[in-house]
């Protein structure tokens, strides 16, 4: 069986680079071989060489190579902590998300941290980075009310927490660690079962008599309580006030939340007890292509990208009118049509770079130099495409207003440009072992900034500014925003203000969620609408929107 993998010698990988490591230090593979000279051979299997006639290791062999050296056993305290986390999840998360998600995430982190400490693992710098960023992402639903950014931030926070416990620096180690908690939901239960099987539970001699006493007391109180309630109306009112109300219809949802919270806590604890070493995953390098076979398509693609860059330069320098005259398109249609095609080109370029790098010739220094030049030039020209896409979208936003979708694609396009810059930097430096974590860090920072800045608030602000400048606003767009948009939309004059805030006020009036299940912006929105109610009378309802020019 092949051993763990290591990158090229220009960027040596430590024996183990995991977010939480064993105190006595990670152990290096004893049979590691010297890496080849090629910087493209980043997924070279380390270990005893395989003779030409020997079959490649199976998928099961590769997976077993990532098994942890040791894993701490589960204890009754782990199970109890996970059950308490499940109860907390069932209690807080019913009905919505807000600050409650941050509380439940902190409880899960405490369980995983206690297990990691018992396993003798210590915090490493990247563990702190991923953990703090995960907390920042969980703060998004606590701050804002919009659902889509909260969902995106919550999913990314779970992935970062898994990466913090797994660690990893190579592409397999990072990419497999992000969804790693999903694969530990069931094994976490088996880990607890194996750890507690045949093990006497502490305090059983005290707990069992207590449970029996509580059961007898509950029966006696129920029987005599019903009799007293039937005998005296005042006693019936007193007992009714003492009994907490509970809707039986909530049981399925709360039971699901309890199971989800418990399983998630056990999964993270299972990872903390001994993570799978995804960095050891053996990924065989792609078969080298001949120089002509590999370089000719890239040269052709670079020429096409170069032609596009020249055309964009002509448009920017004053030839836009001539281009639009030749195409017969208006400025708005030209910008709207071009953005989506350019966005697809940007994503496809990343795919081309990844595939071309895997098949690149790497036998001689000349081959490696040619690969760096062609791929670096393609990434550089891709930045022109990114800039052009951003320019067209911004022109379209200036003409038609900002929407949630347009803001999101702008953010994604900016992140793709950052990824190309990271690829160019990796090509100019000797080592690229930092690249996987840098790409993930840039993506998660983008999601955190996007969520924390309040997308709905930004969309509303831009549309209000556009109305103040040009007296134009897309009311259909702003009417569908969340309570985050209320402070900006409150600056609109009547009847646009009442029309824009009508649906938001209706949703707030029907919202009965507790404070911990809503974003912090909801309280501010309620205060604004209470201080300045919407116009009543002939302008209320559809009347306000009709007077503002919004057709049914």
């Amino acid at each position: 069986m092949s051993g763990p993998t290591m990158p090229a010698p220009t960027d040596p990988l430590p024996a183990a680079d995991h977010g939480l490591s064993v105190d006595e230090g990670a152990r290096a593979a004893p049979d590691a071989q010297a890496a080849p000279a090629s910087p493209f051979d980043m997924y070279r299997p380390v270990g005893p060489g395989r003779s030409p006639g020997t079959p490649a290791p199976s998928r099961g062999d590769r997976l077993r190579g990532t098994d942890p050296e040791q894993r701490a056993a589960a204890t009754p305290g782990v199970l109890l902590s996970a059950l308490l986390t499940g109860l907390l999840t069932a209690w807080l998360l019913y009905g919505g998300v807000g600050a409650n998600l941050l509380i439940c995430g902190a409880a899960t982190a405490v369980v995983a941290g206690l297990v990691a400490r018992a396993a003798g693992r210590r915090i490493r710098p990247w563990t702190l980075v991923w953990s703090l960023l995960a907390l920042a992402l969980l703060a998004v639903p606590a701050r804002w009310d919009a659902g889509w950014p909260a969902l995106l931030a919550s999913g990314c926070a779970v992935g970062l927490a898994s990466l913090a416990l797994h660690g990893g620096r190579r592409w397999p180690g990072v990419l497999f660690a992000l969804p790693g908690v999903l694969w530990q939901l069931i094994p976490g239960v088996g880990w607890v079962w194996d750890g507690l099987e045949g093990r006497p539970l502490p305090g059983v001699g005290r707990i069992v008599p207590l449970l029996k006493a509580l059961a007898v007391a509950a029966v006696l109180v129920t029987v005599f309580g019903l009799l007293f309630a039937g005998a005296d109306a005042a006693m019936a009112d007193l007992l009714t006030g003492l009994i907490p109300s509970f809707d039986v219809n909530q049981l399925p949802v709360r039971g699901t939340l309890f199971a989800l919270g418990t399983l998630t806590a056990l999964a993270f604890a299972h990872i903390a007890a001994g993570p799978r070493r995804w960095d050891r995953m053996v990924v065989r390098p792609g078969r080298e292509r001949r120089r002509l076979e590999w370089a000719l398509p890239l040269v052709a693609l670079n020429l096409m990208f170069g032609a596009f860059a020249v055309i964009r330069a002509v448009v920017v320098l004053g030839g836009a009118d001539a281009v639009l005259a030749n195409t017969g398109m208006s400025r708005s249609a030209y910008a709207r049509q071009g953005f989506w095609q350019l966005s697809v080109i940007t994503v496809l370029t990343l795919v081309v770079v990844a595939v071309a790098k895997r098949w690149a010739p790497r036998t001689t220094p000349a081959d490696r130099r040619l690969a760096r030049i062609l791929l670096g030039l393609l990434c550089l020209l891709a930045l022109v495409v990114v800039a052009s896409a951003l320019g067209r979208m911004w022109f379209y936003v200036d003409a038609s207003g900002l929407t949630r979708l347009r803001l999101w694609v702008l953010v994604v396009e900016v992140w793709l440009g950052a990824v190309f810059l990271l690829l160019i930097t990796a090509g100019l430096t000797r080592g690229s072992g930092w690249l996987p974590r840098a790409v993930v860090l840039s993506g998660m920072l983008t999601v955190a900034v996007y969520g924390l800045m309040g997308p709905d608030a930004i969309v509303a602000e831009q549309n209000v500014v556009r109305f103040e400048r040009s007296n134009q606003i897309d009311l259909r767009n702003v009417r569908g925003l969340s309570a985050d948009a209320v402070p900006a939309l409150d600056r609109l004059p009547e009847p646009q203000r009442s029309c824009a805030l009508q649906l938001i006020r209706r949703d707030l009036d029907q919202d009965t969620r507790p404070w911990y299940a809503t974003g912090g912006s909801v309280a501010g929105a309620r205060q604004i609408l209470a201080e300045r109610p919407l116009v009543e009378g002939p302008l209320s309802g559809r009347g306000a929107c009709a007077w503002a020019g919004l057709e049914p």
Side-chain angles (χ1 to χ4, degrees), residues 316-380:
V316 171
L317 293 176
D321 294 336
V323 173
L324 294 176
N326 293 332
T327 59
M329 300 174 64
S330 65
R331 287 179 177 268
S332 178
Y334 182 66
R336 180 174 63 252
Q337 180 192 40
F339 173 79
W340 297 108
Q341 285 85 340
L342 294 176
S343 299
V344 174
I345 289 172
T346 305
V347 176
L348 289 180
T349 304
L350 284 176
V351 177
V352 169
V353 170
V355 173
K357 185 176 181 181
R358 179 172 174 81
W359 289 346
R362 49 188 177 269
T363 303
T364 65
D367 289 335
R368 296 192 291 271
R369 184 165 52 253
L370 177 64
R372 284 196 298 268
I373 292 174
L374 291 180
L375 292 178
L377 181 59
L378 184 60
C379 291
L380 189 62

Side-chain angles (χ1 to χ4, degrees), residues 14-369:
D17 187 11
H18 296 273
L20 292 168
S21 63
V22 181
D23 281 339
E24 60 268 19
R27 292 176 287 277
D31 50 2
Q33 294 178 333
S38 170
F40 292 97
D41 194 5
M42 298 180 63
Y43 304 128
R44 174 184 53 83
V46 177
R50 181 165 55 88
S51 59
T54 305
S58 63
R59 182 177 303 177
D61 292 335
R62 295 193 184 99
L63 188 61
R64 282 191 293 271
T66 64
D67 289 339
E69 296 92 348
Q70 60 182 11
R71 176 176 284 128
T75 62
V78 173
L79 178 60
L80 179 60
S81 301
L83 292 175
L84 292 177
T85 303
L87 289 174
L88 188 67
T89 303
W91 173 40
L92 293 180
L93 290 187
Y94 182 83
V97 295
N100 50 8
L101 195 61
L102 185 60
I103 297 173
C104 294
T108 304
V110 169
V111 177
L114 292 176
V115 174
R117 182 177 180 182
R121 304 178 66 195
R122 68 178 187 273
I123 297 179
R124 299 178 69 101
W126 275 103
T127 308
L128 191 60
V129 171
W130 301 134
S131 301
L132 292 177
L133 191 52
L135 290 177
L137 288 168
L138 289 179
V140 172
R143 175 65 182 89
W144 300 105
D145 186 55
W148 158 244
L151 179 63
L152 178 64
S154 302
C156 291
V158 172
L160 278 182
S162 178
L163 179 58
L165 292 173
H166 277 99
R169 61 173 295 174
R170 297 173 55 242
W171 284 112
V174 171
L175 296 181
F176 280 98
L178 284 171
V181 67
L182 300 178
W183 306 326
Q184 302 298 330
L185 294 175
I186 303 303
V189 177
W191 168 66
V192 172
W193 181 269
D194 293 339
L196 301 182
E197 188 177 10
R199 181 173 180 172
L201 297 177
V204 173
R206 296 189 301 269
I207 294 177
V208 173
L210 178 61
L211 293 178
K212 291 181 179 179
L214 289 175
V216 173
V219 172
L220 292 176
V221 169
T222 301
V223 173
F224 284 93
L226 292 175
L227 293 175
F228 278 119
D232 189 278
M235 188 65 177
D237 292 338
L238 175 62
L239 293 177
T240 302
L242 293 177
I243 299 175
S245 61
F246 186 79
D247 189 358
V248 179
N249 296 327
Q250 297 179 3
L251 284 177
V253 177
R254 292 190 183 273
T256 301
L257 290 173
F258 169 76
L260 181 61
T262 303
L263 290 177
T264 303
L266 290 178
F268 278 116
H270 186 225
I271 298 173
R276 186 171 290 277
R277 309 297 192 179
W278 291 115
D279 268 341
R280 296 178 179 176
M281 175 70 70
V282 177
V283 181
R284 299 173 61 188
R287 182 173 62 88
E288 294 185 44
R289 304 292 177 175
R290 295 180 180 180
R291 184 181 298 182
L292 180 63
E293 178 185 0
W294 176 87
L296 184 59
L298 282 182
V299 170
L301 193 59
N302 275 316
L303 290 176
M304 179 173 291
F305 273 63
F308 175 80
V310 172
I311 292 176
R312 291 307 304 162
V314 171
V315 173
V316 171
L317 293 176
D321 294 336
V323 173
L324 294 176
N326 293 332
T327 59
M329 300 174 64
S330 65
R331 287 179 177 268
S332 178
Y334 182 66
R336 180 174 63 252
Q337 180 192 40
F339 173 79
W340 297 108
Q341 285 85 340
L342 294 176
S343 299
V344 174
I345 289 172
T346 305
V347 176
L348 289 180
T349 304
L350 284 176
V351 177
V352 169
V353 170
V355 173
K357 185 176 181 181
R358 179 172 174 81
W359 289 346
R362 49 188 177 269
T363 303
T364 65
D367 289 335
R368 296 192 291 271
R369 184 165 52 253

Side-chain angles (χ1 to χ4, degrees), residues 432-446:
S432 58
W434 53 269
L435 183 60
R437 288 187 293 197
V439 171
V440 173
L441 180 61
S442 66
M444 295 301 177
L445 281 175
T446 301

